[in-house]
Amino acid sequence: MTVAPDQTPAPVADPLDWLEQACADRRRQGLHRVLRVRRAGDTGLDLASNDYLGLARHPHVVAAGVAALRAYGAGATGSRLVTGTTAVHDELETALAAFLGLPAALIFSSGYLANVGVVTALAGDDCLVVSDAANHASLIDACRLARSRTVVVRSGDVAAVSEALASRTEQRAVVVTDAVYSTTGALAPLRALHAVVRQHGAVLVVDEAHGLGVVGADGRGGCAQEGILGAPDVVVTATLSKALGSQGGVVLGSHLLREHLVDTARSFVFDTGLAPAAAAAALAALRLVTPARVDALRRNARALARGLGVAVSDSAVLPIVVGDPARASRARDLAAAEGVHVGCFRPPAVPVGGSCLRVTARADLSQVDVASATTTLLRSLAALD
């Protein structure tokens, strides 16, 4: 058998040269994004992060993370099913379940993966998934990965959810929603959604990412406030990276649900476990979630809303709609130049024409902080005219 000599492939055009034009298009549309490096010791007033209760730097939280780092090392060293489950993970799951008054919890390495894991594990070929149009990207991607027929309904449209469930041909159905919409700060109509889900024999999955530690007198979230927490047809997800100031995600529900996820949730089975230091920090933060701290957060959120002339809600998220993405970016930069840092949300995080400054309140803001931030933001917005 004769073997042809090796031949050098002929040069071809760069198959990724289209990226240059795509990047130029985003710049022209005001949608180009830049990573902004945050350094230790940076000064300025933070109204951009999700550290709602001001616990990320709390001495007890930091000390717990450091102790776990020394005890277990830098990482979990493997998946949760191999070497990645430590005593800290077990203790955190027990504490989170007890805090919400639910039977069981399962920790994932991020809130994103918790949402992907639970939706894909509960859905499938013979399941309809109904998703709120304003859901976080993690829920949107979970729906795409679920291999189920998915119906997207207008945000907060309970009647549309009911219609989708009533007309389904699939044996099972899952409705997914944020408890607090991450860009508007509005609360989803959870009680009405649950009534519809109950009527049609479906399951309601609620992401409490922006509700845990924020909504309700004791910070137990939107489901608790609306009286549906603990219902057998309600599954709760949350993140440990917002009000708890750490990192990671969690799914909470029945012991049977937890067992199902351990067996079938691919984003749990095939992912390295959450670093023990992050789990320990979240556990320490959870113990610091008190009604007084939650009340301080909501008091500051109301004060900021009044000063900025935006709607008051029960959440910590305050959007200031600017409309044009370039103008929103400019307002953010003007505020940052004066030491006030806020988020800037542009498509696809918000609809076209809905670019906004996203201001987040914190429990540890002083009255001086609130007044200073309000003055700076109003001045930055006025400078756009």
Side-chain angles (χ1 to χ4, degrees), residues 321-333:
V321 178
V322 177
D324 177 72
R327 284 168 57 84
S329 298
R330 175 64 175 157
R332 174 203 57 202
D333 293 343

Side-chain angles (χ1 to χ4, degrees), residues 16-27:
L16 293 178
D17 60 2
W18 61 274
L19 294 177
E20 183 175 356
Q21 184 60 51
C23 186
D25 291 342
R26 288 193 299 273
R27 289 180 183 276

